[in-house]
Amino acid sequence: SALEQGLSDEEVLEQAKLTGAFSGELRKLFVEQLDAVGFHRAMGVETSGAFFDNPGDIHLTSVFVHPIFVDDKGLNSVGNLLERSTLMRESIINGFAKEAAVLSDAVIFPLGRAAASCCRWLVENGKLDADRVLAGLQHPSPANRARILYF
């Protein structure tokens, strides 16, 4: 257990986040996509799954910290909502963009259209360096399996 290992509360939380985030089929599909583009080779590891072995090697987050609903429906694509919604723009600037700035050496993989759209908007508005963003990966939801196979 974490207590027996003498881990701090912060280390326990990091391990819990890493264990739960993109677990199961989500993780498998994400790793398959990363390996398909050769990210593991560029980083000198056998498989991109190795990044999940050490909390310091990967940081999993969301463009939006809280769920977003429009007309009582979950937001699957931000489309032009970024252009129309000051609240959404401020949310990604004050949340994700600041988080990405702290992780200044990190490669960012926006998973899915909404995340890619937000990253593109941040790049276009000078809030994120385009060289750090590797867009085009599908969200690893099993519901996206056909898109992932096509990818």
Side-chain angles (χ1 to χ4, degrees):
S1 82
L3 289 175
E4 292 169 347
Q5 294 177 21
L7 299 178
S8 69
D9 289 348
E10 186 174 315
E11 291 168 324
V12 170
L13 290 173
E14 280 292 322
Q15 283 192 356
K17 179 180 177 181
L18 193 57
T19 299
F22 285 93
S23 60
E25 189 70 8
L26 286 173
R27 184 173 298 180
K28 178 183 175 289
L29 294 172
F30 181 39
V31 168
E32 286 175 2
Q33 288 183 83
L34 289 173
D35 286 352
V37 298
F39 186 69
H40 64 298
R41 287 190 301 276
M43 299 303 292
V45 295
E46 188 174 323
T47 175
S48 298
F51 297 109
F52 288 92
D53 295 336
N54 181 4
D57 290 345
I58 192 167
H59 179 78
L60 302 166
T61 191
S62 295
V63 174
F64 294 105
V65 178
H66 305 288
I68 295 176
F69 295 91
V70 177
D71 297 327
D72 294 327
K73 294 181 181 163
L75 184 66
N76 292 327
S77 176
V78 294
N80 67 357
L81 286 177
L82 281 175
E83 298 303 322
R84 295 183 309 171
S85 173
T86 302
L87 180 63
M88 287 182 72
R89 290 190 303 271
E90 287 177 358
S91 175
I92 63 170
I93 289 170
N94 293 319
F96 176 74
K98 285 185 178 180
E99 192 173 357
V102 171
L103 303 165
S104 58
D105 293 334
V107 177
I108 298 169
F109 297 96
L111 300 174
R113 290 181 304 210
S117 178
C118 288
C119 286
R120 186 173 36 259
W121 185 88
L122 288 168
V123 167
E124 290 169 357
N125 288 278
K127 306 290 185 191
L128 187 61
D129 181 5
D131 292 339
R132 297 179 53 202
V133 180
L134 183 62
L137 299 181
Q138 299 296 312
H139 189 282
S141 164
N144 263 349
R145 185 172 293 281
R147 287 183 184 195
I148 293 169
L149 289 173
Y150 180 77
F151 168 83

